[in-house]
Amino acid sequence: MDWSIVIVGVGCFVAAFVNAAFATGGVFIVLATLTAIFPPSVAIPLMGPASAGSLVGRIWLFWQDINWRISVLFSLGATVGVVAGVSVFFAMPENALRVGLAVLLLFMIWFPPSLWLGERRIPILGVGVVHVFIATSLGLGGLLQAVLINTRITKAALTGTLALCMLVADGLKIFGYGALGFDYRAYIPHIIVATLVGFAGAWAGKRVAHRISEQVFRIVFKTIVTLLALRLLGQALTSWMSA
């Protein structure tokens, strides 16, 4: 048995459940799962396919709540961000990816844009460019989630809108990685399993969306992200010391 497929299946189910229940957070679980069994140069391109089932499931479940203005503006910006991001990704060494991603995670979780953006109008088009550039080059954007999470958008609208935006961004990233040489064929079993459990996790998450304390979630969410960042920094340090 290929245990990497089992690990991907469990991780992506939990991620889809968390995303549907809390609007965001599952992307960190997917990243943690993939980086546990693959190097960043493989894990980052697989983020999109591994998340597809969860994203499509949430779009279907929260279709009527989607904010189309945000989705369209973000998607326009994403087309610009992915072009530059793909080039940067293929030019970066493994340890640079680890350190860059770890720093990004720690910054986004402890210094969200809501702290410095204040009440100013959110430039969604620019957010789309920066988010997808970072997500493509480092594997994880987080900017759109961090910007919108503290706005007045409803939880259902946030869940559906983020899912649609991330699906567009992931589609662009998959095309970009593939165009520059990443071969997804070796990971088709992982992608199929991730897609199937993604639908199941999204359905299960929506059923319990109103039963889990948001305060508890935020504590767990920050802990998971911080531990992931520290793990990536530890991997980079270990690699440098053994070189």
Side-chain angles (χ1 to χ4, degrees), residues 20 24 70 73 106 121 127 154 160 175 203 217 243:
T24 189
I70 292 175
L73 289 175
L106 291 173
R121 186 177 179 84
V127 169
T154 66
F175 177 79
W203 177 83
F217 165 72

Side-chain angles (χ1 to χ4, degrees), residues 61-78:
L61 291 168
F62 295 91
W63 178 263
Q64 62 183 3
D65 300 298
I66 292 174
N67 184 310
W68 290 98
R69 173 186 170 274
I70 292 175
S71 300
V72 170
L73 289 175
F74 178 88
S75 298
L76 291 174

Side-chain angles (χ1 to χ4, degrees), residues 99-140:
V99 173
L101 186 52
V103 171
L104 174 67
L105 288 172
L106 291 173
F107 180 80
M108 294 306 301
I109 201 63
W110 295 109
F111 299 96
S114 57
L115 292 179
W116 43 266
L117 191 61
E119 296 297 324
R120 287 173 291 177
R121 186 177 179 84
I122 300 172
I124 298 297
L125 185 66
V127 169
V129 175
V130 177
H131 177 107
V132 177
F133 170 76
I134 296 173
T136 307
S137 57
L138 297 180
L140 184 68

Side-chain angles (χ1 to χ4, degrees), residues 3-182:
W3 285 102
S4 67
I5 297 177
V6 176
I7 294 171
V8 167
V10 173
C12 288
F13 176 85
V14 174
F17 176 89
V18 169
N19 275 328
F22 305 109
T24 189
V27 64
F28 299 106
I29 298 173
V30 174
L31 183 61
T33 301
L34 293 176
T35 55
I37 54 180
F38 299 118
S41 58
V42 173
I44 291 175
L46 285 179
M47 288 284 292
S51 302
S54 169
L55 294 173
V56 173
R58 278 183 285 151
I59 291 170
W60 176 63
L61 291 168
F62 295 91
W63 178 263
Q64 62 183 3
D65 300 298
I66 292 174
N67 184 310
W68 290 98
R69 173 186 170 274
I70 292 175
S71 300
V72 170
L73 289 175
F74 178 88
S75 298
L76 291 174
T79 59
V80 177
V82 73
V83 175
V86 167
S87 299
V88 171
F89 171 77
F90 281 99
M92 293 179 69
E94 293 283 341
N95 282 333
L97 288 172
R98 289 189 175 105
V99 173
L101 186 52
V103 171
L104 174 67
L105 288 172
L106 291 173
F107 180 80
M108 294 306 301
I109 201 63
W110 295 109
F111 299 96
S114 57
L115 292 179
W116 43 266
L117 191 61
E119 296 297 324
R120 287 173 291 177
R121 186 177 179 84
I122 300 172
I124 298 297
L125 185 66
V127 169
V129 175
V130 177
H131 177 107
V132 177
F133 170 76
I134 296 173
T136 307
S137 57
L138 297 180
L140 184 68
L143 182 59
L144 182 64
Q145 294 93 322
V147 167
L148 294 182
I149 196 69
N150 292 320
T151 64
R152 295 178 181 177
I153 188 172
T154 66
K155 187 175 181 180
L158 180 63
T159 302
T161 303
L162 283 177
L164 180 56
C165 289
M166 295 307 101
L167 184 65
V168 171
D170 284 346
L172 291 170
K173 289 190 294 179
I174 291 170
F175 177 79
Y177 293 135
L180 290 185
F182 186 84

